[in-house]
């Protein structure tokens, strides 16, 4: 197949490109080379064309003959304040609408879209007395008192996190999350209007070799790594009990290859996760153990707007796409402890 891959020079995009090429696909690789993702890099990597997806004319040059678009290009990070909103809206949402319009003009009707777990907001919770509930946001008073877990909005009972499936409501709680929900909605409307197919892959916490070290793309695993390399203990927020799903970048690339070669119709969304939830404090401890670094410090501090638990079910991706993560987080994080990072 001939695949147009956006964001091809990025952390995830570069691994997708490698797996597609190894699989015999023809890859048209483009990247805007934004400083937020690539730092001060001034040289475009070999085989990649510098194209901004907001540039309709540039897209029109690379889309002819393309069978499927794998859209990884995006500005990420939760956002510092409201002034970041135009950047998310421009690059993520306007850029996606331009891409969809040019795909239609070129006769390309298949899209694989990089989405995110952030579309689910604060995740799924259940109460022993009242069943599945949607908890209220945590209050500053509770957080200041070290009360980090959600309580039932009906009777204030303690809640238990549960795996989120793809039918969960989309409730964005950050500017980035809002832009990812909008991307999905534009893609859904495009699929219905054109008869095209869209696979939205909702990535969980992606980590692995060549993960950016000091950009908005730097996930918590890379931040812990950097602290150890400075001779400092990793600092863990809250009590460290926040549950996440860490999925290796090579598994994420494999999910994209599976989506590209799938025969799904219309719009479909899938969680891309390992299926093995892990607490944030255990992520830090695992990296420290392997690196023989100082033990993590659980600070009790918190960041406004942080989600307590967000973990998802991998079942639908396994059933429909045949995708199952191959790398266990315990082994993957151990390997990551010494893996090269981007500067």
């Amino acid at each position: 197949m001939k695949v147009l891959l956006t964001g091809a020079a990025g952390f995830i995009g570069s691994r997708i490109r490698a797996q597609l090429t190894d699989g015999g696909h023809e890859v048209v690789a483009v990247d805007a080379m934004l400083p937020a993702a690539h730092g001060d890099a001034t040289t475009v990597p070999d085989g990649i064309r510098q194209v901004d997806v907001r540039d309709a004319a540039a897209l029109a040059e690379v889309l002819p003959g393309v069978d499927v678009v794998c859209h990884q290009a995006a500005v990420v990070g939760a956002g510092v304040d409201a002034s970041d909103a135009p950047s998310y809206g421009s690059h993520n949402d306007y850029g996606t609408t331009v891409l969809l319009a040019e795909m239609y003009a070129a006769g390309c009707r298949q899209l694989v879209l990089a989405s995110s777990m952030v579309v689910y907001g604060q995740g799924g919770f259940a109460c022993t007395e009242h069943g599945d509930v949607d908890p209220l946001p945590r209050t500053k008073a509770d957080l200041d008192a070290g009360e980090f877990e959600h309580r039932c909005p009906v009777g204030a009972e303690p809640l238990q996190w549960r795996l989120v499936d793809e039918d969960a409501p989309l409730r964005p709680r950050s500017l980035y999350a809002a832009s990812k929900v909008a991307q999905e909605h534009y893609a859904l409307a495009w699929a219905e209007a054109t008869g095209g197919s869209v696979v939205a892959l909702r990535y969980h916490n992606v980590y692995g070799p060549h993960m950016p070290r000091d950009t908005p793309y730097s996930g918590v695993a890379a931040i812990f790594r950097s602290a150890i390399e400075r001779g400092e203990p990793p600092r863990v927020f809250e009590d460290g009990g926040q549950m996440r799903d860490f999925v290796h970048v090579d598994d994420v690339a494999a999910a994209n290859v599976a989506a590209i070669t799938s025969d799904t119709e219309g719009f479909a969304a899938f969680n891309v996760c390992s299926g093995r939830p892990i607490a944030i404090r255990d992520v830090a401890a695992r990296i420290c153990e392997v690196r023989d670094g100082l033990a993590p410090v659980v600070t009790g501090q918190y960041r406004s707007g942080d989600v307590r638990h967000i973990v998802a079910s991998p079942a639908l991706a396994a059933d429909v796409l045949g995708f199952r993560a191959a790398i266990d987080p315990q082994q993957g994080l151990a390997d990551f402890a010494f893996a090269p990072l981007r500067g």
Side-chain angles (χ1 to χ4, degrees):
M1 299 178 73
K2 186 175 182 179
V3 182
L4 173 63
L5 174 62
T6 72
F11 166 49
I12 296 173
S14 60
R15 297 306 306 150
I16 296 173
R17 183 188 179 198
Q19 289 195 21
L20 286 172
T21 301
D22 290 345
H25 299 283
E26 179 184 355
V27 182
V28 180
V30 302
D31 198 296
M33 300 302 295
L34 297 177
H38 304 285
D40 296 328
T42 57
T43 302
V44 180
D46 290 343
I48 292 179
R49 296 181 59 171
Q50 189 166 5
V51 172
D52 189 320
V53 293
R54 298 171 298 177
D55 186 339
L59 288 175
E61 291 182 5
V62 296
L63 272 166
V66 166
D67 299 300
V68 54
V69 173
C70 185
H71 185 29
Q72 305 296 312
V75 172
V76 302
V80 175
D81 55 43
S83 66
D84 291 327
S87 177
Y88 289 112
S90 176
H91 289 282
N92 297 359
D93 301 332
Y94 176 67
T96 297
T97 63
V98 174
L99 176 62
L100 292 170
E102 293 305 313
M103 286 176 64
Y104 176 73
C108 180
R109 296 293 185 270
Q110 185 178 353
L111 174 69
V112 175
L113 173 67
S115 188
S116 171
M117 67 177 185
V118 297
V119 301
Y120 296 125
Q122 55 195 15
F125 290 87
C127 173
T128 56
E129 295 295 325
H130 305 101
D132 291 347
V133 296
D134 182 25
L136 297 173
R138 298 180 295 174
T139 66
K140 184 178 185 300
D142 282 345
L143 294 170
D144 286 342
E147 297 288 340
F148 300 119
E149 297 290 353
H150 287 285
R151 291 191 171 273
C152 179
V154 180
E157 298 87 353
L159 297 181
Q160 175 62 47
W161 59 265
R162 64 174 182 84
L163 298 180
V164 177
D165 61 31
E166 290 81 356
D167 291 332
L170 305 187
R171 290 176 174 149
R173 298 189 63 209
S174 70
L175 296 174
Y176 172 61
S179 75
K180 300 309 284 187
V181 171
Q183 278 186 309
E184 286 199 18
H185 286 169
Y186 277 118
L188 168 61
W190 176 86
E192 293 189 349
T194 65
S197 70
V198 175
V199 173
L201 299 177
R202 294 171 179 167
Y203 302 160
H204 284 251
N205 291 71
V206 186
Y207 72 98
H210 304 292
M211 188 177 190
R213 183 190 301 272
D214 293 311
T215 78
Y217 284 75
S218 298
V220 68
I223 293 171
F224 291 158
R225 263 280 306 269
S226 295
I228 294 169
E229 290 169 359
R230 293 192 303 268
E232 302 171 1
R235 295 177 60 81
V236 179
F237 285 105
E238 301 187 13
D239 61 0
Q242 308 93 306
M243 297 301 295
R244 297 291 189 271
D245 190 303
F246 281 74
V247 58
H248 195 278
V249 66
D250 286 343
D251 281 326
V252 173
N256 277 273
V257 174
I260 286 166
T261 56
S262 70
D263 58 359
T264 57
E265 298 180 352
F267 178 92
F270 300 93
N271 292 321
V272 176
C273 56
S274 71
R276 304 171 181 91
I278 184 171
I280 292 294
R281 60 177 172 244
D282 294 333
V283 174
R286 181 61 170 154
I287 297 173
C288 288
E289 174 189 16
V290 175
R291 291 289 303 241
D292 196 25
L294 296 171
V297 173
V298 177
T299 66
Q301 297 173 333
Y302 65 89
R303 291 175 296 192
S304 178
D306 271 4
V307 173
R308 178 60 179 174
H309 305 298
I310 177 68
V311 289
S313 170
L316 189 64
D319 291 345
V320 177
L321 300 179
F323 165 73
R324 295 172 177 82
I327 300 173
D328 185 281
Q330 290 293 333
Q331 183 58 53
L333 288 168
D335 295 340
F336 175 72
F338 287 100
L341 299 180
R342 296 190 182 197

